[in-house]
Structures are given as C-alpha cells and as structure tokens.
Amino acid sequence: MIIPNVVLLYYTMTYSLFRGDEPEMTPISLKMPTRLALEVSEAARRRGVSRSALIREALEAFLRAERSDEAVSALSLASGLAGAFRGPADLSTNPNHMRGFGQ
C-alpha cells in the first residue's frame, strides 16, 4: 500500500528536480544557543518561511556585505576618473607648473 503523502512528496521532489526549480542543497548541521534558536524560529514564523530558508538568507546577506567591505585602494576608487579631465598630463614633472611652489 502506498501512502498518499509519500507519493505527493515524491512527485513534488521529482517535478522540482526535472524543472530545476530548486538549487542543489547540501545539508549542514550547526549548534546555537537556545535563545537564538527561539529567535530564528519566531522570525521564520513571522515571515512565513522555514528556519533553513531564513538562515540561508541571513548568511547570504552577511557574506554579500563582507565581500563589499573588502579593502580598496585609492587607485581603484579613482580609476574611473583617469582621463576624464582636460589638462596637462603630469603637473609634478613640468617645471612650468612647479614655478613658485613651496615659496
């Protein structure tokens, strides 16, 4: 005898796999303080998502923010400005532009 819920679950999983709706997931186990676990459960309930989905979303946001905080150089920040203005190529080596500097 086949249990209807099992058939439905099998159909849903098979259909999703063939359609490619769900990305491949790797199970992971983690430990957290009870207080945090309760907060996660409550937040997931309020948003109408699973705890796994909420934790995945939080980790993705954290990692995205961490990547954007990587150290950047002044050169990389100003790279779009190079050649954007008219004027002499190098003010520091042209004696005409250095006349009177530091006096």
Side-chain angles (χ1 to χ4, degrees):
M1 179 176 149
I2 298 176
I3 303 170
N5 289 343
V6 173
V7 172
L8 179 61
L9 177 63
Y10 174 76
Y11 173 78
T12 304
M13 290 174 61
T14 305
Y15 182 71
S16 293
L17 287 173
F18 282 116
R19 285 195 48 209
D21 290 345
E22 295 290 325
E24 184 178 335
M25 299 288 181
T26 301
I28 187 169
S29 175
L30 68 106
K31 294 181 181 183
M32 65 178 72
T34 303
R35 177 198 53 79
L36 182 57
L38 292 172
E39 288 183 44
V40 168
S41 295
E42 180 59 26
R45 186 193 61 75
R46 280 193 313 269
R47 295 183 65 185
V49 297
S50 68
R51 290 185 304 175
S52 292
L54 183 77
I55 292 169
R56 270 193 307 274
E57 184 180 323
L59 282 172
E60 286 173 351
F62 171 78
L63 294 172
R64 202 171 29 255
E66 189 175 68
R67 280 191 302 270
S68 69
D69 286 345
E70 291 177 359
V72 293
S73 68
L75 176 62
S76 67
L77 291 173
S79 64
L81 299 174
F85 302 101
R86 295 178 200 255
D90 188 355
L91 294 175
S92 66
T93 58
N94 188 330
N96 294 331
H97 298 293
M98 297 300 290
R99 192 173 308 126
F101 180 76
Q103 295 180 6

